[in-house]
Amino acid sequence: MFEAAIAMSRKWDATDAGQEIGEQIISKLKNKPKFVLLFSTIHYEKHGGFQKFLDAVNSKLPERTPVVGGTVAGFMNNYGCYTRGASALAVYSDEMDVAVGVGNNTRENPKKATLASSSEILDKMKNSKYATGCAINLYSSAVVGEYPIVGRRVVIDNKQLTRFPDVMYDISLKVFHRGVDRADEMLPVLSKELSNFQQISGGCTDTTDQLSNYLFFGRQTITNALLTLAFKTSLNASVKTTFGFKETGTKMLVTKFGRDHRIIKSINGRPAREELLRILGWPKAYLNERVFSKLFYYPIGFVNQSGVLIPQVFGLFLGESIVVPYSIQNPEITLLSSSGKDLISSVDEHVEQCKKIKPLFSIFISCATIIVTLGAHIYEIWEKINSVYGNTPYLVGYVAGESTFSSNKELKYGNHTFNSLVLWG
Amino acid sequence: MPEETMLSVLEDLLREEDILAVMLARKNEISVSPSPDKFKLKDPSIFSLLQSTMNDFFIVIEKFSSQGLDKVYFELGNYEVMFFLISGDTALVAIIPGLANKGLLEVEMENSRRAIKKLI
């Protein structure tokens, strides 16, 4: 016996929306859900609060239903694509064991948090008799750093402050608990510890302003953490990552790194910011607080030790230094270029796969920059997916930082990607 | 045309933080819009000006509609105006801040356009 359903609310008020989600799940499933994956846009933060939202969802569900999720920039499901509201995927199978693991303080100690979460999963799953393991990892994505004098900004020009970018990076992370998410330190640990699980991961976010984000676990909202929803099942599963960009052929050599190899101090022997602007042919005036809407079209990538290209967007301009989300493991970086056509066609492989295997349900994680860049054209992606899924439940979350892993594929992570976890009988 | 339902679609869209004003503009007909006191414009004269010149816009829009004109954007001081065409003589029009996150707003504009199309 298997059943899955999509619930959605477009109501503005947190309590109304939560109740609607819970009621739809109950009315659509005959059995108590084995798990509920819940995505919401950030706006309930200002329309009642996430505590009320989660209380309302859970009040309608049977006791101890595992509800796991977080905030996203937008979501897509069988009904359409939305940047305001909430949607949930509820799943029941009589051949499924479910466990949830939590690791806290990911920004301060990502490895410890990841081990805490994965050991909880392994412990709870040790007696499961089912062969296929799946894990949905949601973590708190980067939040814009808080800096003395200037506050929260993404372009900081203050010469006194930016003389020591490593110190500013540390203060933001360790004192204010803001800054990069350190997902690239969590994901390899998850791959190793949960090596038998097909994994899909995403960084929960807001409207991509990166000011706040929340993870959901039952009635709790969690920040600065990793949350893993794992299940073992008799179903088949596979994961896939595709990219929405092209390589431009423009190479850059990082000639001086700062803290954690996430700070680029110089490129091609010149100050990093100055050299990047020269390469892009941009005037300095472009570097304002909305610079990322333009930079989303120009991610950078490096090839890691496993030969996998890791694409990423720029994160922060600290004087002449540039902070990026993922530690750069290879000083030779490539300028990538992302067009609307590339972003839309990045779903084609996933769609083709679904035509062959006829999924029972799917979870997709994609980059929030894609929905920001495509705007209303995101419906071109929806039409492709919906044309093969029809009424088969699926849920796409648009997040900040995406990843997949399986034991027969390398760990893939980065930005500007489209990722799937597909289950079939 | 069920104008009350249409108005509720527009009012819902206007609740978006960065949708400062919105209307359903129709050629040679009175446009449908929420009460202007619900608008978040610092300079309300922009909306009045838009409303009074919509028929002139439709003259241009009609000339391009056979070529597949779907959306029109223009910057107006600190604001940006988005036209999502519903037909050759009807458009969903919204005023947003100049530096708003347009991509996310566009998705909800598209949802409103689809909802209005169903009502027409």
Side-chain angles (χ1 to χ4, degrees), chain A residues 105-123:
Chain A
N105 300 317
T106 46
R107 283 194 195 96
E108 293 75 27
N109 197 335
K111 187 173 180 185
K112 188 178 170 192
T114 310
L115 288 171
S117 175
S118 53
S119 62
E120 203 176 340
I121 297 293
L122 290 171
D123 186 49

Side-chain angles (χ1 to χ4, degrees), chain A residues 86-274:
Chain A
S87 186
L89 168 71
V91 173
Y92 170 80
S93 167
D94 53 9
E95 295 182 352
M96 182 179 278
D97 295 319
V98 175
V100 180
V102 186
N104 290 304
N105 300 317
T106 46
R107 283 194 195 96
E108 293 75 27
N109 197 335
K111 187 173 180 185
K112 188 178 170 192
T114 310
L115 288 171
S117 175
S118 53
S119 62
E120 203 176 340
I121 297 293
L122 290 171
D123 186 49
K124 289 174 180 170
M125 287 291 194
K126 65 188 174 199
N127 296 322
S128 178
K129 61 184 179 186
Y130 303 115
T132 303
C134 297
I136 302 155
N137 307 305
L138 299 173
Y139 53 85
S140 309
S141 79
V143 280
V144 175
E146 176 102 31
Y147 302 99
I149 303 169
V150 294
R152 287 180 198 166
R153 296 188 70 83
V154 292
V155 180
I156 299 171
D157 277 324
N158 185 304
K159 284 195 173 130
Q160 294 301 318
L161 281 176
T162 56
R163 273 178 72 195
F164 306 104
D166 301 83
V167 175
M168 288 190 69
Y169 172 95
D170 287 342
I171 288 175
S172 179
L173 211 53
K174 289 170 186 166
V175 179
F176 295 104
H177 308 290
R178 305 183 71 87
V180 293
D181 55 33
R182 304 180 76 178
D184 50 350
E185 294 174 65
M186 291 185 266
L187 297 168
V189 179
L190 280 167
S191 307
K192 190 178 165 199
E193 297 298 315
L194 301 179
S195 59
N196 292 326
F197 287 74
Q198 312 253 8
Q199 298 183 39
I200 188 165
S201 309
C204 290
T205 184
D206 50 13
T207 57
T208 69
D209 285 341
Q210 302 295 109
L211 295 177
S212 60
N213 58 68
Y214 301 90
L215 300 173
F216 309 145
F217 179 27
R219 290 174 186 255
Q220 294 176 67
T221 56
I222 309 172
T223 57
N224 193 16
L226 164 70
L227 198 49
T228 296
L229 166 66
F231 54 92
K232 294 198 94 173
T233 170
S234 56
L235 300 173
N236 299 298
S238 75
V239 292
K240 184 187 283 290
T241 291
T242 52
F243 299 132
F245 52 77
K246 287 184 179 137
E247 294 193 37
T248 61
T250 303
K251 304 274 186 194
M252 297 177 260
L253 190 68
V254 179
T255 37
K256 190 175 180 188
F257 282 108
R259 186 76 78 234
D260 294 341
H261 276 218
R262 290 195 189 94
I263 299 180
I264 305 172
K265 290 188 170 174
S266 69
I267 297 171
N268 301 334
R270 300 172 70 176
R273 179 165 92 166
E274 178 189 317

Side-chain angles (χ1 to χ4, degrees), chain B residues 3-69:
Chain B
E3 296 210 352
E4 277 181 22
T5 319
M6 218 167 291
L7 189 59
S8 74
V9 173
L10 297 176
E11 284 180 338
D12 204 45
L13 185 60
L14 186 61
R15 291 187 73 175
E16 296 284 344
E17 202 171 312
D18 277 342
I19 299 281
L20 305 178
V22 64
M23 70 172 151
L24 184 70
R26 295 178 293 189
K27 189 185 175 190
N28 298 327
E29 281 185 61
I30 296 168
S31 60
V32 179
S33 76
S35 168
D37 60 16
K38 291 182 179 170
F39 293 165
K40 294 160 261 176
L41 289 165
K42 281 184 187 159
D43 179 4
S45 66
I46 286 180
F47 184 78
S48 310
L49 187 61
L50 260 180
Q51 214 171 18
S52 63
T53 53
M54 277 315 300
N55 278 344
D56 301 327
F57 274 111
F58 278 119
I59 293 169
V60 178
I61 284 168
E62 275 181 333
K63 288 184 179 170
F64 288 98
S65 63
S66 62
Q67 302 295 318
L69 183 67

